[in-house]
Amino acid sequence: EQLQMLKSMSDSIVEDWLNFEEQLEQVKHLFAEDPAIAGIPEVPQSESFFSDDQVCQGKQNGSFSKGHGYYLLMMYPEAIRELEQVVRALPDHLLARFFLAMSLLHIGEHEEAYRHFQFIIPLSDDKRMKAIAYNAMGFIQFQHRNVHKAVEMFQLAHQTDPTLEEPIVNLHLCSLRNGHLQLTRGKFANKLQ
C-alpha cells in the first residue's frame, strides 16, 4: 500500500512538473513575441499579507500553501483548485481569496475574479491589497470596454495607495485608449511572497 501511495504521489509530482514546464515555455514565447505585454498585478512581499489572522489550520493551511505555490509557478488552474478549498472552508481568508481572484484573472474568468475583489475591498485593512484589487477591477472594466468605470477604479487604486505606480500608468493609457494596461505580472507576484 505504501509503495502504491508513493508511486501515485510521484506520478502526480511528475505530471505537475511537466505541466509547469509546458506553461513556462508558453510564457517565454509570449514575452519573446511582445515584451511590453501587460501582465497581471504582482503581489507585494509585505508582511501584512501574511498576518496571523490570515493563517489557516490543518488541511486549509496545506491547500493555501499549495495554491500559493501554484500561483507563483503560474499554474493557475491548479492554484484555483487549492485556493477554492480554502475559501469554501474559510470565506474570510482574504489572502487565499486574493490569490484565487488573481488566478481567475490570469485565466480570463473576469466576472468571478471581479466578485472576489469586490468581497476583499471592504474587509481588508491592507492598503496595498485594496489598491491592487481596485487596479485589477479597473483592468477588467477596461477589458470589457467600460473605460469610464475603469478610470474610476484606477483613481480609487491610486487614492488608496499612492505608492502603487500601475494605476497612474493605466489612467494615462485609458486616456490614449489603445495602450496595454499595466497589471505588473512580475513585480506583483514577487511582492506578496
PDB file of all heavy atoms in Angstrom, residues 41 102 105 110 113-122 130-144 146 149-154 156-157 181 183:
ATOM      1  N   PRO A  41      -1.308  42.171 -11.945  1.00  0.00           N
ATOM      2  CA  PRO A  41      -0.564  42.797 -10.850  1.00  0.00           C
ATOM      3  C   PRO A  41       0.275  41.799 -10.064  1.00  0.00           C
ATOM      4  O   PRO A  41      -0.112  40.666  -9.879  1.00  0.00           O
ATOM      5  CB  PRO A  41      -1.666  43.364  -9.951  1.00  0.00           C
ATOM      6  CG  PRO A  41      -2.848  43.468 -10.808  1.00  0.00           C
ATOM      7  CD  PRO A  41      -2.725  42.413 -11.864  1.00  0.00           C
ATOM      8  N   MET A 102      -6.744  36.568  -8.280  1.00  0.00           N
ATOM      9  CA  MET A 102      -5.653  36.814  -9.223  1.00  0.00           C
ATOM     10  C   MET A 102      -5.505  35.648 -10.206  1.00  0.00           C
ATOM     11  O   MET A 102      -5.300  35.852 -11.398  1.00  0.00           O
ATOM     12  CB  MET A 102      -4.341  37.032  -8.464  1.00  0.00           C
ATOM     13  CG  MET A 102      -4.314  38.294  -7.621  1.00  0.00           C
ATOM     14  SD  MET A 102      -4.527  39.801  -8.570  1.00  0.00           S
ATOM     15  CE  MET A 102      -3.011  39.781  -9.527  1.00  0.00           C
ATOM     16  N   LEU A 105      -8.257  35.816 -12.691  1.00  0.00           N
ATOM     17  CA  LEU A 105      -7.973  36.896 -13.630  1.00  0.00           C
ATOM     18  C   LEU A 105      -7.002  36.429 -14.706  1.00  0.00           C
ATOM     19  O   LEU A 105      -7.188  36.701 -15.892  1.00  0.00           O
ATOM     20  CB  LEU A 105      -7.420  38.104 -12.872  1.00  0.00           C
ATOM     21  CG  LEU A 105      -7.137  39.366 -13.666  1.00  0.00           C
ATOM     22  CD1 LEU A 105      -8.385  39.873 -14.379  1.00  0.00           C
ATOM     23  CD2 LEU A 105      -6.591  40.439 -12.743  1.00  0.00           C
ATOM     24  N   HIS A 110     -13.035  36.740 -15.710  1.00  0.00           N
ATOM     25  CA  HIS A 110     -13.138  38.105 -15.202  1.00  0.00           C
ATOM     26  C   HIS A 110     -14.279  38.318 -14.218  1.00  0.00           C
ATOM     27  O   HIS A 110     -14.097  38.979 -13.194  1.00  0.00           O
ATOM     28  CB  HIS A 110     -13.262  39.084 -16.368  1.00  0.00           C
ATOM     29  CG  HIS A 110     -12.024  39.173 -17.183  1.00  0.00           C
ATOM     30  ND1 HIS A 110     -12.002  39.774 -18.411  1.00  0.00           N
ATOM     31  CD2 HIS A 110     -10.761  38.731 -16.961  1.00  0.00           C
ATOM     32  CE1 HIS A 110     -10.780  39.716 -18.906  1.00  0.00           C
ATOM     33  NE2 HIS A 110     -10.010  39.074 -18.056  1.00  0.00           N
ATOM     34  N   ALA A 113     -13.437  36.679 -10.870  1.00  0.00           N
ATOM     35  CA  ALA A 113     -12.342  37.416 -10.230  1.00  0.00           C
ATOM     36  C   ALA A 113     -12.861  38.733  -9.659  1.00  0.00           C
ATOM     37  O   ALA A 113     -12.552  39.091  -8.519  1.00  0.00           O
ATOM     38  CB  ALA A 113     -11.220  37.672 -11.240  1.00  0.00           C
ATOM     39  N   TYR A 114     -13.674  39.434 -10.421  1.00  0.00           N
ATOM     40  CA  TYR A 114     -14.221  40.724 -10.001  1.00  0.00           C
ATOM     41  C   TYR A 114     -15.040  40.562  -8.719  1.00  0.00           C
ATOM     42  O   TYR A 114     -14.926  41.372  -7.796  1.00  0.00           O
ATOM     43  CB  TYR A 114     -15.097  41.280 -11.130  1.00  0.00           C
ATOM     44  CG  TYR A 114     -15.334  42.765 -11.067  1.00  0.00           C
ATOM     45  CD1 TYR A 114     -14.477  43.638 -11.723  1.00  0.00           C
ATOM     46  CD2 TYR A 114     -16.413  43.299 -10.380  1.00  0.00           C
ATOM     47  CE1 TYR A 114     -14.688  45.008 -11.701  1.00  0.00           C
ATOM     48  CE2 TYR A 114     -16.637  44.665 -10.346  1.00  0.00           C
ATOM     49  CZ  TYR A 114     -15.767  45.520 -11.007  1.00  0.00           C
ATOM     50  OH  TYR A 114     -15.988  46.875 -10.965  1.00  0.00           O
ATOM     51  N   ARG A 115     -15.829  39.504  -8.679  1.00  0.00           N
ATOM     52  CA  ARG A 115     -16.651  39.234  -7.490  1.00  0.00           C
ATOM     53  C   ARG A 115     -15.782  39.064  -6.243  1.00  0.00           C
ATOM     54  O   ARG A 115     -16.090  39.607  -5.182  1.00  0.00           O
ATOM     55  CB  ARG A 115     -17.501  37.978  -7.733  1.00  0.00           C
ATOM     56  CG  ARG A 115     -18.490  37.670  -6.626  1.00  0.00           C
ATOM     57  CD  ARG A 115     -19.312  36.427  -6.946  1.00  0.00           C
ATOM     58  NE  ARG A 115     -18.529  35.211  -6.904  1.00  0.00           N
ATOM     59  CZ  ARG A 115     -18.189  34.572  -5.783  1.00  0.00           C
ATOM     60  NH1 ARG A 115     -18.556  35.041  -4.617  1.00  0.00           N
ATOM     61  NH2 ARG A 115     -17.486  33.469  -5.833  1.00  0.00           N
ATOM     62  N   HIS A 116     -14.679  38.351  -6.375  1.00  0.00           N
ATOM     63  CA  HIS A 116     -13.773  38.148  -5.234  1.00  0.00           C
ATOM     64  C   HIS A 116     -13.087  39.457  -4.832  1.00  0.00           C
ATOM     65  O   HIS A 116     -12.936  39.735  -3.642  1.00  0.00           O
ATOM     66  CB  HIS A 116     -12.733  37.067  -5.543  1.00  0.00           C
ATOM     67  CG  HIS A 116     -13.301  35.689  -5.557  1.00  0.00           C
ATOM     68  ND1 HIS A 116     -13.739  35.044  -4.419  1.00  0.00           N
ATOM     69  CD2 HIS A 116     -13.527  34.829  -6.585  1.00  0.00           C
ATOM     70  CE1 HIS A 116     -14.191  33.838  -4.732  1.00  0.00           C
ATOM     71  NE2 HIS A 116     -14.069  33.691  -6.037  1.00  0.00           N
ATOM     72  N   PHE A 117     -12.665  40.252  -5.817  1.00  0.00           N
ATOM     73  CA  PHE A 117     -12.047  41.541  -5.493  1.00  0.00           C
ATOM     74  C   PHE A 117     -13.036  42.442  -4.761  1.00  0.00           C
ATOM     75  O   PHE A 117     -12.670  43.123  -3.802  1.00  0.00           O
ATOM     76  CB  PHE A 117     -11.527  42.236  -6.751  1.00  0.00           C
ATOM     77  CG  PHE A 117     -10.291  41.604  -7.328  1.00  0.00           C
ATOM     78  CD1 PHE A 117     -10.251  41.233  -8.666  1.00  0.00           C
ATOM     79  CD2 PHE A 117      -9.166  41.395  -6.548  1.00  0.00           C
ATOM     80  CE1 PHE A 117      -9.113  40.655  -9.203  1.00  0.00           C
ATOM     81  CE2 PHE A 117      -8.019  40.819  -7.080  1.00  0.00           C
ATOM     82  CZ  PHE A 117      -8.004  40.443  -8.416  1.00  0.00           C
ATOM     83  N   GLN A 118     -14.298  42.428  -5.189  1.00  0.00           N
ATOM     84  CA  GLN A 118     -15.323  43.224  -4.513  1.00  0.00           C
ATOM     85  C   GLN A 118     -15.501  42.778  -3.062  1.00  0.00           C
ATOM     86  O   GLN A 118     -15.764  43.593  -2.187  1.00  0.00           O
ATOM     87  CB  GLN A 118     -16.667  43.109  -5.241  1.00  0.00           C
ATOM     88  CG  GLN A 118     -16.753  43.927  -6.496  1.00  0.00           C
ATOM     89  CD  GLN A 118     -18.100  43.778  -7.156  1.00  0.00           C
ATOM     90  OE1 GLN A 118     -18.581  42.664  -7.377  1.00  0.00           O
ATOM     91  NE2 GLN A 118     -18.720  44.901  -7.498  1.00  0.00           N
ATOM     92  N   PHE A 119     -15.386  41.502  -2.796  1.00  0.00           N
ATOM     93  CA  PHE A 119     -15.507  40.959  -1.444  1.00  0.00           C
ATOM     94  C   PHE A 119     -14.335  41.428  -0.575  1.00  0.00           C
ATOM     95  O   PHE A 119     -14.505  41.757   0.597  1.00  0.00           O
ATOM     96  CB  PHE A 119     -15.550  39.423  -1.515  1.00  0.00           C
ATOM     97  CG  PHE A 119     -15.766  38.755  -0.187  1.00  0.00           C
ATOM     98  CD1 PHE A 119     -17.042  38.471   0.257  1.00  0.00           C
ATOM     99  CD2 PHE A 119     -14.689  38.400   0.612  1.00  0.00           C
ATOM    100  CE1 PHE A 119     -17.246  37.842   1.484  1.00  0.00           C
ATOM    101  CE2 PHE A 119     -14.878  37.775   1.836  1.00  0.00           C
ATOM    102  CZ  PHE A 119     -16.166  37.497   2.273  1.00  0.00           C
ATOM    103  N   ILE A 120     -13.143  41.463  -1.158  1.00  0.00           N
ATOM    104  CA  ILE A 120     -11.920  41.777  -0.416  1.00  0.00           C
ATOM    105  C   ILE A 120     -11.875  43.232   0.038  1.00  0.00           C
ATOM    106  O   ILE A 120     -11.514  43.520   1.183  1.00  0.00           O
ATOM    107  CB  ILE A 120     -10.677  41.458  -1.291  1.00  0.00           C
ATOM    108  CG1 ILE A 120     -10.522  39.950  -1.452  1.00  0.00           C
ATOM    109  CG2 ILE A 120      -9.419  42.079  -0.707  1.00  0.00           C
ATOM    110  CD1 ILE A 120      -9.529  39.543  -2.522  1.00  0.00           C
ATOM    111  N   ILE A 121     -12.237  44.147  -0.839  1.00  0.00           N
ATOM    112  CA  ILE A 121     -12.016  45.576  -0.593  1.00  0.00           C
ATOM    113  C   ILE A 121     -12.590  46.077   0.729  1.00  0.00           C
ATOM    114  O   ILE A 121     -11.878  46.701   1.513  1.00  0.00           O
ATOM    115  CB  ILE A 121     -12.476  46.416  -1.800  1.00  0.00           C
ATOM    116  CG1 ILE A 121     -11.507  46.185  -2.955  1.00  0.00           C
ATOM    117  CG2 ILE A 121     -12.577  47.897  -1.452  1.00  0.00           C
ATOM    118  CD1 ILE A 121     -11.951  46.762  -4.277  1.00  0.00           C
ATOM    119  N   PRO A 122     -13.858  45.831   1.048  1.00  0.00           N
ATOM    120  CA  PRO A 122     -14.366  46.387   2.311  1.00  0.00           C
ATOM    121  C   PRO A 122     -13.834  45.674   3.560  1.00  0.00           C
ATOM    122  O   PRO A 122     -13.881  46.228   4.652  1.00  0.00           O
ATOM    123  CB  PRO A 122     -15.881  46.217   2.204  1.00  0.00           C
ATOM    124  CG  PRO A 122     -16.087  45.141   1.198  1.00  0.00           C
ATOM    125  CD  PRO A 122     -14.916  45.205   0.268  1.00  0.00           C
ATOM    126  N   LYS A 130      -5.955  46.400  -1.160  1.00  0.00           N
ATOM    127  CA  LYS A 130      -7.126  47.110  -1.697  1.00  0.00           C
ATOM    128  C   LYS A 130      -6.789  47.796  -3.017  1.00  0.00           C
ATOM    129  O   LYS A 130      -7.556  47.721  -3.980  1.00  0.00           O
ATOM    130  CB  LYS A 130      -7.614  48.166  -0.703  1.00  0.00           C
ATOM    131  CG  LYS A 130      -8.374  47.629   0.466  1.00  0.00           C
ATOM    132  CD  LYS A 130      -8.868  48.790   1.308  1.00  0.00           C
ATOM    133  CE  LYS A 130      -9.712  48.300   2.452  1.00  0.00           C
ATOM    134  NZ  LYS A 130     -10.348  49.388   3.194  1.00  0.00           N
ATOM    135  N   ALA A 131      -5.647  48.468  -3.060  1.00  0.00           N
ATOM    136  CA  ALA A 131      -5.258  49.189  -4.275  1.00  0.00           C
ATOM    137  C   ALA A 131      -5.057  48.233  -5.441  1.00  0.00           C
ATOM    138  O   ALA A 131      -5.478  48.519  -6.564  1.00  0.00           O
ATOM    139  CB  ALA A 131      -3.986  49.999  -4.014  1.00  0.00           C
ATOM    140  N   ILE A 132      -4.441  47.102  -5.170  1.00  0.00           N
ATOM    141  CA  ILE A 132      -4.234  46.114  -6.232  1.00  0.00           C
ATOM    142  C   ILE A 132      -5.580  45.559  -6.702  1.00  0.00           C
ATOM    143  O   ILE A 132      -5.791  45.353  -7.894  1.00  0.00           O
ATOM    144  CB  ILE A 132      -3.296  44.989  -5.748  1.00  0.00           C
ATOM    145  CG1 ILE A 132      -1.894  45.565  -5.535  1.00  0.00           C
ATOM    146  CG2 ILE A 132      -3.263  43.836  -6.740  1.00  0.00           C
ATOM    147  CD1 ILE A 132      -0.961  44.650  -4.782  1.00  0.00           C
ATOM    148  N   ALA A 133      -6.492  45.349  -5.762  1.00  0.00           N
ATOM    149  CA  ALA A 133      -7.829  44.871  -6.132  1.00  0.00           C
ATOM    150  C   ALA A 133      -8.543  45.898  -7.007  1.00  0.00           C
ATOM    151  O   ALA A 133      -9.132  45.552  -8.039  1.00  0.00           O
ATOM    152  CB  ALA A 133      -8.649  44.559  -4.881  1.00  0.00           C
ATOM    153  N   TYR A 134      -8.494  47.182  -6.622  1.00  0.00           N
ATOM    154  CA  TYR A 134      -9.098  48.231  -7.450  1.00  0.00           C
ATOM    155  C   TYR A 134      -8.445  48.271  -8.832  1.00  0.00           C
ATOM    156  O   TYR A 134      -9.122  48.411  -9.854  1.00  0.00           O
ATOM    157  CB  TYR A 134      -8.951  49.609  -6.794  1.00  0.00           C
ATOM    158  CG  TYR A 134      -9.953  49.922  -5.718  1.00  0.00           C
ATOM    159  CD1 TYR A 134      -9.537  50.378  -4.465  1.00  0.00           C
ATOM    160  CD2 TYR A 134     -11.330  49.807  -5.945  1.00  0.00           C
ATOM    161  CE1 TYR A 134     -10.445  50.697  -3.473  1.00  0.00           C
ATOM    162  CE2 TYR A 134     -12.247  50.121  -4.957  1.00  0.00           C
ATOM    163  CZ  TYR A 134     -11.806  50.573  -3.729  1.00  0.00           C
ATOM    164  OH  TYR A 134     -12.719  50.886  -2.760  1.00  0.00           O
ATOM    165  N   ASN A 135      -7.118  48.171  -8.872  1.00  0.00           N
ATOM    166  CA  ASN A 135      -6.407  48.197 -10.150  1.00  0.00           C
ATOM    167  C   ASN A 135      -6.829  47.024 -11.039  1.00  0.00           C
ATOM    168  O   ASN A 135      -7.072  47.192 -12.233  1.00  0.00           O
ATOM    169  CB  ASN A 135      -4.893  48.183  -9.914  1.00  0.00           C
ATOM    170  CG  ASN A 135      -4.113  48.475 -11.173  1.00  0.00           C
ATOM    171  OD1 ASN A 135      -4.302  49.502 -11.806  1.00  0.00           O
ATOM    172  ND2 ASN A 135      -3.237  47.569 -11.534  1.00  0.00           N
ATOM    173  N   ALA A 136      -6.936  45.847 -10.441  1.00  0.00           N
ATOM    174  CA  ALA A 136      -7.365  44.665 -11.203  1.00  0.00           C
ATOM    175  C   ALA A 136      -8.802  44.837 -11.701  1.00  0.00           C
ATOM    176  O   ALA A 136      -9.129  44.464 -12.835  1.00  0.00           O
ATOM    177  CB  ALA A 136      -7.240  43.408 -10.347  1.00  0.00           C
ATOM    178  N   MET A 137      -9.660  45.417 -10.858  1.00  0.00           N
ATOM    179  CA  MET A 137     -11.049  45.662 -11.274  1.00  0.00           C
ATOM    180  C   MET A 137     -11.087  46.675 -12.422  1.00  0.00           C
ATOM    181  O   MET A 137     -11.894  46.544 -13.349  1.00  0.00           O
ATOM    182  CB  MET A 137     -11.870  46.135 -10.083  1.00  0.00           C
ATOM    183  CG  MET A 137     -12.101  45.031  -9.055  1.00  0.00           C
ATOM    184  SD  MET A 137     -12.746  45.627  -7.465  1.00  0.00           S
ATOM    185  CE  MET A 137     -14.342  46.252  -7.935  1.00  0.00           C
ATOM    186  N   GLY A 138     -10.195  47.673 -12.371  1.00  0.00           N
ATOM    187  CA  GLY A 138     -10.094  48.616 -13.483  1.00  0.00           C
ATOM    188  C   GLY A 138      -9.656  47.927 -14.753  1.00  0.00           C
ATOM    189  O   GLY A 138     -10.178  48.197 -15.845  1.00  0.00           O
ATOM    190  N   PHE A 139      -8.701  47.009 -14.625  1.00  0.00           N
ATOM    191  CA  PHE A 139      -8.253  46.227 -15.778  1.00  0.00           C
ATOM    192  C   PHE A 139      -9.420  45.453 -16.388  1.00  0.00           C
ATOM    193  O   PHE A 139      -9.606  45.440 -17.606  1.00  0.00           O
ATOM    194  CB  PHE A 139      -7.142  45.267 -15.334  1.00  0.00           C
ATOM    195  CG  PHE A 139      -6.722  44.282 -16.392  1.00  0.00           C
ATOM    196  CD1 PHE A 139      -5.847  44.665 -17.387  1.00  0.00           C
ATOM    197  CD2 PHE A 139      -7.201  42.985 -16.381  1.00  0.00           C
ATOM    198  CE1 PHE A 139      -5.459  43.759 -18.367  1.00  0.00           C
ATOM    199  CE2 PHE A 139      -6.816  42.076 -17.351  1.00  0.00           C
ATOM    200  CZ  PHE A 139      -5.942  42.468 -18.351  1.00  0.00           C
ATOM    201  N   ILE A 140     -10.218  44.825 -15.536  1.00  0.00           N
ATOM    202  CA  ILE A 140     -11.367  44.049 -16.020  1.00  0.00           C
ATOM    203  C   ILE A 140     -12.371  44.963 -16.713  1.00  0.00           C
ATOM    204  O   ILE A 140     -12.873  44.648 -17.799  1.00  0.00           O
ATOM    205  CB  ILE A 140     -12.023  43.266 -14.857  1.00  0.00           C
ATOM    206  CG1 ILE A 140     -11.072  42.169 -14.360  1.00  0.00           C
ATOM    207  CG2 ILE A 140     -13.361  42.671 -15.291  1.00  0.00           C
ATOM    208  CD1 ILE A 140     -11.478  41.536 -13.033  1.00  0.00           C
ATOM    209  N   GLN A 141     -12.652  46.107 -16.107  1.00  0.00           N
ATOM    210  CA  GLN A 141     -13.583  47.057 -16.726  1.00  0.00           C
ATOM    211  C   GLN A 141     -13.063  47.516 -18.088  1.00  0.00           C
ATOM    212  O   GLN A 141     -13.828  47.614 -19.056  1.00  0.00           O
ATOM    213  CB  GLN A 141     -13.815  48.267 -15.810  1.00  0.00           C
ATOM    214  CG  GLN A 141     -14.589  47.962 -14.557  1.00  0.00           C
ATOM    215  CD  GLN A 141     -16.041  47.584 -14.840  1.00  0.00           C
ATOM    216  OE1 GLN A 141     -16.593  47.840 -15.899  1.00  0.00           O
ATOM    217  NE2 GLN A 141     -16.659  46.957 -13.857  1.00  0.00           N
ATOM    218  N   PHE A 142     -11.764  47.774 -18.171  1.00  0.00           N
ATOM    219  CA  PHE A 142     -11.176  48.202 -19.445  1.00  0.00           C
ATOM    220  C   PHE A 142     -11.294  47.093 -20.489  1.00  0.00           C
ATOM    221  O   PHE A 142     -11.602  47.359 -21.654  1.00  0.00           O
ATOM    222  CB  PHE A 142      -9.713  48.600 -19.238  1.00  0.00           C
ATOM    223  CG  PHE A 142      -9.094  49.223 -20.459  1.00  0.00           C
ATOM    224  CD1 PHE A 142      -9.238  50.574 -20.706  1.00  0.00           C
ATOM    225  CD2 PHE A 142      -8.369  48.455 -21.352  1.00  0.00           C
ATOM    226  CE1 PHE A 142      -8.669  51.159 -21.833  1.00  0.00           C
ATOM    227  CE2 PHE A 142      -7.800  49.023 -22.478  1.00  0.00           C
ATOM    228  CZ  PHE A 142      -7.948  50.378 -22.727  1.00  0.00           C
ATOM    229  N   GLN A 143     -11.064  45.855 -20.071  1.00  0.00           N
ATOM    230  CA  GLN A 143     -11.173  44.720 -20.994  1.00  0.00           C
ATOM    231  C   GLN A 143     -12.588  44.588 -21.553  1.00  0.00           C
ATOM    232  O   GLN A 143     -12.780  44.118 -22.665  1.00  0.00           O
ATOM    233  CB  GLN A 143     -10.759  43.413 -20.303  1.00  0.00           C
ATOM    234  CG  GLN A 143      -9.309  43.351 -19.909  1.00  0.00           C
ATOM    235  CD  GLN A 143      -8.393  43.431 -21.099  1.00  0.00           C
ATOM    236  OE1 GLN A 143      -8.546  42.723 -22.083  1.00  0.00           O
ATOM    237  NE2 GLN A 143      -7.422  44.340 -21.038  1.00  0.00           N
ATOM    238  N   HIS A 144     -13.559  45.001 -20.768  1.00  0.00           N
ATOM    239  CA  HIS A 144     -14.958  44.942 -21.192  1.00  0.00           C
ATOM    240  C   HIS A 144     -15.418  46.274 -21.790  1.00  0.00           C
ATOM    241  O   HIS A 144     -16.617  46.522 -21.908  1.00  0.00           O
ATOM    242  CB  HIS A 144     -15.846  44.520 -20.017  1.00  0.00           C
ATOM    243  CG  HIS A 144     -15.610  43.098 -19.606  1.00  0.00           C
ATOM    244  ND1 HIS A 144     -16.211  42.034 -20.221  1.00  0.00           N
ATOM    245  CD2 HIS A 144     -14.786  42.575 -18.664  1.00  0.00           C
ATOM    246  CE1 HIS A 144     -15.794  40.906 -19.671  1.00  0.00           C
ATOM    247  NE2 HIS A 144     -14.922  41.204 -18.725  1.00  0.00           N
ATOM    248  N   ASN A 146     -15.477  49.266 -20.671  1.00  0.00           N
ATOM    249  CA  ASN A 146     -16.124  50.217 -19.769  1.00  0.00           C
ATOM    250  C   ASN A 146     -15.057  51.197 -19.283  1.00  0.00           C
ATOM    251  O   ASN A 146     -14.633  51.167 -18.127  1.00  0.00           O
ATOM    252  CB  ASN A 146     -16.763  49.494 -18.572  1.00  0.00           C
ATOM    253  CG  ASN A 146     -17.820  48.511 -18.997  1.00  0.00           C
ATOM    254  OD1 ASN A 146     -18.532  48.731 -19.966  1.00  0.00           O
ATOM    255  ND2 ASN A 146     -17.930  47.410 -18.273  1.00  0.00           N
ATOM    256  N   LYS A 149     -15.716  53.428 -16.124  1.00  0.00           N
ATOM    257  CA  LYS A 149     -15.650  52.658 -14.871  1.00  0.00           C
ATOM    258  C   LYS A 149     -14.199  52.261 -14.579  1.00  0.00           C
ATOM    259  O   LYS A 149     -13.772  52.248 -13.418  1.00  0.00           O
ATOM    260  CB  LYS A 149     -16.561  51.426 -14.967  1.00  0.00           C
ATOM    261  CG  LYS A 149     -16.741  50.688 -13.680  1.00  0.00           C
ATOM    262  CD  LYS A 149     -17.521  51.508 -12.676  1.00  0.00           C
ATOM    263  CE  LYS A 149     -17.811  50.684 -11.440  1.00  0.00           C
ATOM    264  NZ  LYS A 149     -18.436  51.459 -10.390  1.00  0.00           N
ATOM    265  N   ALA A 150     -13.444  51.941 -15.622  1.00  0.00           N
ATOM    266  CA  ALA A 150     -12.029  51.592 -15.445  1.00  0.00           C
ATOM    267  C   ALA A 150     -11.271  52.777 -14.845  1.00  0.00           C
ATOM    268  O   ALA A 150     -10.501  52.613 -13.887  1.00  0.00           O
ATOM    269  CB  ALA A 150     -11.408  51.179 -16.775  1.00  0.00           C
ATOM    270  N   VAL A 151     -11.523  53.961 -15.376  1.00  0.00           N
ATOM    271  CA  VAL A 151     -10.872  55.167 -14.859  1.00  0.00           C
ATOM    272  C   VAL A 151     -11.221  55.360 -13.387  1.00  0.00           C
ATOM    273  O   VAL A 151     -10.353  55.662 -12.554  1.00  0.00           O
ATOM    274  CB  VAL A 151     -11.269  56.404 -15.699  1.00  0.00           C
ATOM    275  CG1 VAL A 151     -10.877  57.697 -15.000  1.00  0.00           C
ATOM    276  CG2 VAL A 151     -10.638  56.320 -17.087  1.00  0.00           C
ATOM    277  N   GLU A 152     -12.484  55.152 -13.040  1.00  0.00           N
ATOM    278  CA  GLU A 152     -12.915  55.280 -11.642  1.00  0.00           C
ATOM    279  C   GLU A 152     -12.154  54.307 -10.742  1.00  0.00           C
ATOM    280  O   GLU A 152     -11.691  54.666  -9.659  1.00  0.00           O
ATOM    281  CB  GLU A 152     -14.424  55.019 -11.551  1.00  0.00           C
ATOM    282  CG  GLU A 152     -14.985  55.087 -10.161  1.00  0.00           C
ATOM    283  CD  GLU A 152     -16.455  54.683 -10.108  1.00  0.00           C
ATOM    284  OE1 GLU A 152     -17.177  54.881 -11.103  1.00  0.00           O
ATOM    285  OE2 GLU A 152     -16.867  54.151  -9.062  1.00  0.00           O
ATOM    286  N   MET A 153     -12.004  53.061 -11.188  1.00  0.00           N
ATOM    287  CA  MET A 153     -11.295  52.049 -10.398  1.00  0.00           C
ATOM    288  C   MET A 153      -9.811  52.402 -10.253  1.00  0.00           C
ATOM    289  O   MET A 153      -9.230  52.268  -9.180  1.00  0.00           O
ATOM    290  CB  MET A 153     -11.434  50.661 -11.033  1.00  0.00           C
ATOM    291  CG  MET A 153     -12.829  50.074 -11.029  1.00  0.00           C
ATOM    292  SD  MET A 153     -13.382  49.683  -9.363  1.00  0.00           S
ATOM    293  CE  MET A 153     -14.734  50.833  -9.202  1.00  0.00           C
ATOM    294  N   PHE A 154      -9.182  52.867 -11.336  1.00  0.00           N
ATOM    295  CA  PHE A 154      -7.773  53.245 -11.269  1.00  0.00           C
ATOM    296  C   PHE A 154      -7.576  54.433 -10.330  1.00  0.00           C
ATOM    297  O   PHE A 154      -6.585  54.490  -9.595  1.00  0.00           O
ATOM    298  CB  PHE A 154      -7.218  53.552 -12.661  1.00  0.00           C
ATOM    299  CG  PHE A 154      -7.191  52.360 -13.579  1.00  0.00           C
ATOM    300  CD1 PHE A 154      -7.567  52.484 -14.906  1.00  0.00           C
ATOM    301  CD2 PHE A 154      -6.811  51.104 -13.126  1.00  0.00           C
ATOM    302  CE1 PHE A 154      -7.545  51.399 -15.763  1.00  0.00           C
ATOM    303  CE2 PHE A 154      -6.792  50.000 -13.967  1.00  0.00           C
ATOM    304  CZ  PHE A 154      -7.161  50.148 -15.292  1.00  0.00           C
ATOM    305  N   LEU A 156      -9.471  55.129  -7.713  1.00  0.00           N
ATOM    306  CA  LEU A 156      -9.616  54.587  -6.358  1.00  0.00           C
ATOM    307  C   LEU A 156      -8.342  53.853  -5.924  1.00  0.00           C
ATOM    308  O   LEU A 156      -7.920  53.963  -4.772  1.00  0.00           O
ATOM    309  CB  LEU A 156     -10.823  53.650  -6.278  1.00  0.00           C
ATOM    310  CG  LEU A 156     -12.191  54.320  -6.278  1.00  0.00           C
ATOM    311  CD1 LEU A 156     -13.300  53.290  -6.477  1.00  0.00           C
ATOM    312  CD2 LEU A 156     -12.397  55.082  -4.975  1.00  0.00           C
ATOM    313  N   ALA A 157      -7.738  53.121  -6.857  1.00  0.00           N
ATOM    314  CA  ALA A 157      -6.492  52.414  -6.547  1.00  0.00           C
ATOM    315  C   ALA A 157      -5.412  53.412  -6.167  1.00  0.00           C
ATOM    316  O   ALA A 157      -4.696  53.221  -5.169  1.00  0.00           O
ATOM    317  CB  ALA A 157      -6.046  51.575  -7.745  1.00  0.00           C
ATOM    318  N   LEU A 181      -2.652  47.938 -20.745  1.00  0.00           N
ATOM    319  CA  LEU A 181      -2.756  48.279 -19.334  1.00  0.00           C
ATOM    320  C   LEU A 181      -1.704  47.548 -18.526  1.00  0.00           C
ATOM    321  O   LEU A 181      -1.280  46.450 -18.871  1.00  0.00           O
ATOM    322  CB  LEU A 181      -4.141  47.926 -18.798  1.00  0.00           C
ATOM    323  CG  LEU A 181      -5.274  48.748 -19.381  1.00  0.00           C
ATOM    324  CD1 LEU A 181      -6.581  48.370 -18.699  1.00  0.00           C
ATOM    325  CD2 LEU A 181      -5.026  50.220 -19.209  1.00  0.00           C
ATOM    326  N   LEU A 183      -0.734  45.578 -15.322  1.00  0.00           N
ATOM    327  CA  LEU A 183      -1.145  44.822 -14.149  1.00  0.00           C
ATOM    328  C   LEU A 183       0.069  44.174 -13.516  1.00  0.00           C
ATOM    329  O   LEU A 183      -0.035  43.359 -12.636  1.00  0.00           O
ATOM    330  CB  LEU A 183      -2.198  43.777 -14.522  1.00  0.00           C
ATOM    331  CG  LEU A 183      -3.555  44.355 -14.882  1.00  0.00           C
ATOM    332  CD1 LEU A 183      -4.496  43.257 -15.324  1.00  0.00           C
ATOM    333  CD2 LEU A 183      -4.148  45.103 -13.727  1.00  0.00           C
TER     334      LEU A 183
END
